[in-house]
Amino acid sequence: MSNELTAVQKLAIADAFIKACKDEQKRIRDEVDEETIKLYLDTGADRRTVSLNGEKVGTISIVMTKPVEGKFPEIQDAQEFAKWYRESDGGMDAINRLIALEPGIMLKAAVADGELPDGCAMVERNEPSRIKNTTLRISKDKVVKAMGAQLSAAVAGFIGGGE
C-alpha cells in the first residue's frame, strides 16, 4: 500500500476536517465574541491580537453601527396617514413615487416633497453607536508558520474532538 494519498482520499480528509470545523466554529466563535465584547465594555478596547506560539496571526475586532441622531418622520396614526395618502394631492404624488421605487417605503415617498403627512410627527431619535458584530481576520500562512511541527497534532486533535 502506498503512502501517497489519492485525490479522493485527500477529499475525504478535507471533508472530515471541514465538518469538524463547522461543528465547533459556532460554539467557539460565540465564546470568543462574548469575551471580545466583555473586553470592549470593560476597557473600551475594540480589537484583540490573535497570536499562536508568540506570533501574531491575525486580529478580532468589534464592528460598530453608525450613530443615528436627528429628527425623522414617524407614523403616529396609521389610519390618518392612510387617509392622507388617499385624499391629498401630496398623497397621490407619493403613491406614484412609491410605484416607481419599491414597496415598503411609503413614508419615505410621502415626505419627499418636505410635507409631513397627516398622522405623522417628527420625533427626536438619538441612537448611540452599538456593537454590530465582530470581524475575525486570520492569515492561514501565518498560522501554519506559527504552529510549525505542532500543526498536524493540533489539526488531528481538532478533528478528533479535542481542543
Side-chain angles (χ1 to χ4, degrees):
M1 185 159 132
S2 171
N3 287 338
E4 198 70 27
L5 294 174
T6 66
V8 74
Q9 290 169 328
K10 289 177 184 177
L11 179 61
I13 292 167
D15 190 65
F17 183 67
I18 289 168
K19 286 177 181 172
C21 289
K22 285 181 179 178
D23 289 345
E24 289 295 310
Q25 184 181 28
K26 175 140 178 40
R27 182 190 65 78
I28 295 168
R29 182 60 186 261
D30 287 347
E31 181 181 324
V32 170
D33 283 356
E34 187 177 309
E35 291 171 0
T36 304
I37 290 168
K38 183 179 182 335
L39 179 68
Y40 172 75
L41 295 174
D42 290 348
T43 68
D46 66 350
R47 67 191 68 238
R48 297 167 60 185
T49 297
V50 180
S51 298
L52 288 170
N53 292 330
E55 291 192 41
K56 180 181 174 181
V57 298
T59 60
I60 185 162
S61 55
I62 300 284
V63 178
M64 304 292 287
T65 62
K66 292 184 179 182
V68 175
E69 192 171 320
K71 288 193 171 203
F72 302 91
E74 181 178 281
I75 298 171
Q76 300 284 305
D77 182 326
Q79 289 181 336
E80 284 290 316
F81 185 52
K83 180 180 175 188
W84 175 86
Y85 256 104
R86 286 189 313 269
E87 297 176 3
S88 73
D89 289 340
M92 290 307 299
D93 291 342
I95 289 170
N96 289 328
R97 281 190 293 271
L98 176 62
I99 292 167
L101 296 171
E102 62 181 282
I105 61 165
M106 291 185 78
L107 181 59
K108 182 178 179 181
V111 298
D113 292 331
E115 181 180 357
L116 187 63
D118 295 343
C120 298
M122 295 299 289
V123 296
E124 187 71 31
R125 188 181 301 165
N126 294 308
E127 297 175 14
S129 63
R130 61 178 173 76
I131 296 169
K132 184 176 178 182
N133 59 26
T134 61
T135 300
L136 178 66
R137 290 185 178 87
I138 298 294
S139 167
K140 176 189 66 131
D141 295 338
K142 289 180 180 180
V143 169
V144 170
K145 181 180 175 215
M147 291 300 291
Q150 299 169 325
L151 184 61
S152 294
V155 169
F158 192 73
I159 288 179
E163 291 192 35

